[in-house]
Amino acid sequence: MTEHATGRHRPATPLSRARSLPPWSLIAAGAVAGGLLGGAYGLLQPPAYTATSYVVAVPTEGSDPSSALGFAQAYGRVATQLAVLGDAQVWAGVPVSTLQESVRTATSPDAPMVAVTATSSRADLAADMANAVSRALTRHAADTEASTRVELQQFARATEPAEPSSASPALTGLVGASAGGLLGGLVLLVRPRRGADGPGRPAVPGPALAADVHGQL
């Protein structure tokens, strides 16, 4: 008598349900989750405002005009040093540590100009810090003007920014959705694939194996 194997009905598990979903659902779920997280980050993150002031190096009488460019590079490096920030804190009304964290400088290889940029959660404070550091740097340059024969002059004051420079919630949500969709695609590529027969299916002997068993009987 030939016996037929009957498989038991296995209850559906969360893993089996997940495997039964279409492949694109992983990408869609990752994009939605990433968009929600990115949008929430943009809403919870405090806005940041950026203001920039500019000072320019001007050669004095009897000085080589090309030396102004070199001194502008040097002043850009010392603008964030303690000697300059110690004076700037008086006009900015913030500690030196705040200036060290919030103020950055940049110079140009083509023009003898120093850009002093400050970032803060308050628009007025960002402008005050940038102007304070520029003022302190100009004062320090004036103390050595007799030897350097280069004068620092204020080229443009920092103005209070009207809009924050930080990313908006819409932008952070879009970035999060893109990252989530990409992560979902990577998971889709590396997830294990089921075999052609699928798990739990009883193996059926091939014709050659069945003939050998019949001959032995």
Side-chain angles (χ1 to χ4, degrees):
M1 182 178 63
T2 304
E3 296 181 356
H4 297 279
T6 58
R8 295 181 179 178
H9 178 70
R10 297 182 179 179
T13 62
L15 182 58
S16 62
R17 294 194 190 100
R19 288 178 175 176
S20 64
L21 294 175
W24 56 264
S25 61
L26 287 175
I27 301 177
V32 172
L36 292 176
L37 292 176
Y41 174 80
L43 289 173
L44 298 177
Q45 180 189 21
Y49 295 89
T50 301
T52 304
S53 64
Y54 298 90
V55 294
V56 60
V58 181
T60 59
E61 184 178 357
S63 175
D64 183 7
S66 61
S67 63
L69 182 60
F71 277 106
Q73 303 286 334
Y75 286 132
R77 288 190 289 269
V78 303
T80 54
Q81 299 300 315
L82 186 60
V84 178
L85 298 182
D87 293 340
Q89 70 172 342
V90 179
W91 299 308
V94 296
V96 173
S97 59
T98 301
L99 293 175
Q100 290 175 330
E101 296 173 357
S102 306
V103 177
R104 297 292 181 268
T105 60
T107 57
S108 171
D110 302 320
M113 187 173 294
V114 182
V116 181
T117 302
T119 303
S120 174
S121 58
R122 291 169 40 194
D124 59 337
L125 184 57
D128 290 343
M129 289 191 296
N131 290 326
V133 174
S134 296
R135 181 180 179 183
L137 183 61
T138 303
R139 292 286 184 89
H140 277 267
D143 295 338
T144 58
E145 182 180 341
S147 59
T148 61
R149 290 188 292 181
V150 172
E151 179 185 6
L152 269 188
Q153 297 179 359
Q154 190 168 42
F155 184 79
R157 287 180 56 84
T159 58
E160 184 176 329
E163 296 180 355
S165 57
S166 55
S168 63
L171 180 58
T172 56
L174 181 60
V175 173
S178 301
L182 179 60
L183 183 60
L186 293 177
V187 172
L188 181 63
L189 291 176
V190 301
R191 70 170 184 172
R193 299 178 180 271
R194 291 184 300 176
D197 294 334
R201 178 175 297 181
V204 179
L209 181 59
D212 293 341
V213 173
H214 181 72
Q216 293 176 2
L217 296 177

